[in-house]
Amino acid sequence: HLVESGGGVVRPGGSLRLSCVASGFTFGDYGMSWVRHVPGKGLQWVSGINWNGNLIEYIDSVKGRFTISRDNAKNSLFLEMHNLRAEDTALYRCAKSNYDTESTPTYGMDVWGPGTTVNVS
Amino acid sequence: QSVLTQPPSVSGAPGQRVTISCTGTSSNIGAGYDVHWYQHVPGTAPKLLIHGNFNRRSGVPDRISGSKSVTSASLDINNLQAEDEADYYCQSYDTGLSGGVIFGGGTKVTVL
């Protein structure tokens, strides 16, 4: 299971820190991702991190503003978001890579959390 | 606009077959990157149905199947049932300007 927290309402230019706590699998064995969903606009992969945190990827629109990290000892994934924009408004979910350890999900994402809502307005 | 193109909606009567296409380019599907398919019922978390173009996840009925050609992929749902009504997304990887993990725009499947 994955459970996210940390979302909320924030003004443009503000910051939020999202957390995702994992259970039921060996967290440190898998790559992890953050995926956001804007109703009516579909899914968008935001960022991914490999098993030990040494490889990280972001989409261009969040580079320099968002930072992904993980703490394997605490089975936790994080997304630090700064300089938030209206277009960042979405439901943010963490997702586990299916099978692999990499920063991008080579075999898809097989476990997803229910999400936490970020509203920038 | 998504790099992977899906039809916005498809529909069918119970028992019929529907096909959802996912059209890419030479920088994603055409470059050999695998396609994965998700089912998303609004209000719940997305569910991985197919990984690696055609590999059905455990628990996914065999009336659901995936395939891939040169620059496109398809998800077939045979013997359509009421529980199949959901949004479906394809996902791959792109090396072009929109590089990285990419999703299609999603297809709403309606069971008539």
Side-chain angles (χ1 to χ4, degrees):
Chain A
H1 296 284
L2 297 170
V3 179
E4 305 90 341
S5 61
V9 180
V10 61
R11 294 199 182 274
S15 300
L16 283 173
R17 186 184 196 229
L18 307 185
S19 298
C20 167
V21 178
S23 62
F25 64 95
T26 306
F27 180 72
D29 282 353
Y30 297 95
M32 296 292 296
S33 295
W34 286 99
V35 179
R36 63 188 180 187
H37 182 206
V38 177
K41 287 192 173 183
L43 301 172
Q44 184 181 37
W45 183 86
V46 174
S47 179
I49 187 168
N50 77 328
W51 69 280
N52 65 1
N54 286 348
L55 290 174
I56 287 172
E57 292 199 30
Y58 303 97
I59 54 172
D60 285 347
S61 62
V62 308
K63 284 179 181 176
R65 301 188 299 122
F66 289 12
T67 301
I68 190 172
S69 61
R70 65 189 298 160
D71 183 341
N72 288 345
K74 296 183 178 179
N75 293 335
S76 295
L77 177 73
F78 306 100
L79 187 67
E80 194 92 27
M81 304 187 294
H82 297 285
N83 192 18
L84 282 160
R85 305 168 180 168
E87 55 264 36
D88 297 318
T89 294
L91 178 69
Y92 284 73
R93 291 187 174 98
C94 59
K96 167 188 165 291
S97 290
N98 184 30
Y99 294 138
D100 75 285
T101 63
E102 301 305 316
S103 55
T104 53
T106 306
Y107 306 101
M109 293 167 278
D110 64 339
V111 182
W112 297 65
T116 186
T117 300
V118 172
N119 188 336
V120 185
S121 63
Chain B
Q1 188 172 358
S2 302
V3 179
L4 300 177
T5 301
Q6 297 180 235
S9 64
V10 298
S11 61
Q16 287 188 330
R17 169 182 173 175
V18 296
T19 297
I20 302 169
S21 61
C22 174
T23 303
T25 68
S26 58
S27 65
N28 42 70
I29 300 175
Y33 291 102
D34 285 342
V35 178
H36 320 294
W37 289 92
Y38 301 86
Q39 178 192 58
H40 184 214
V41 176
T44 69
K47 175 184 176 183
L48 179 64
L49 297 176
I50 301 284
H51 64 89
N53 307 313
F54 52 80
N55 298 292
R56 202 179 297 112
R57 283 209 73 209
S58 176
V60 175
D62 58 9
R63 58 187 182 82
I64 294 176
S65 62
S67 62
K68 178 188 173 186
S69 63
V70 179
T71 57
S72 66
S74 294
L75 182 74
D76 289 325
I77 306 175
N78 292 285
N79 186 20
L80 195 64
Q81 300 182 7
E83 68 207 45
D84 299 326
E85 188 159 294
D87 298 318
Y88 292 80
Y89 293 90
C90 60
Q91 178 242 306
S92 187
Y93 189 87
D94 188 88
T95 59
L97 287 177
S98 303
V101 178
I102 52 174
F103 284 94
T107 298
K108 169 68 177 178
V109 170
T110 300
V111 182
L112 301 173

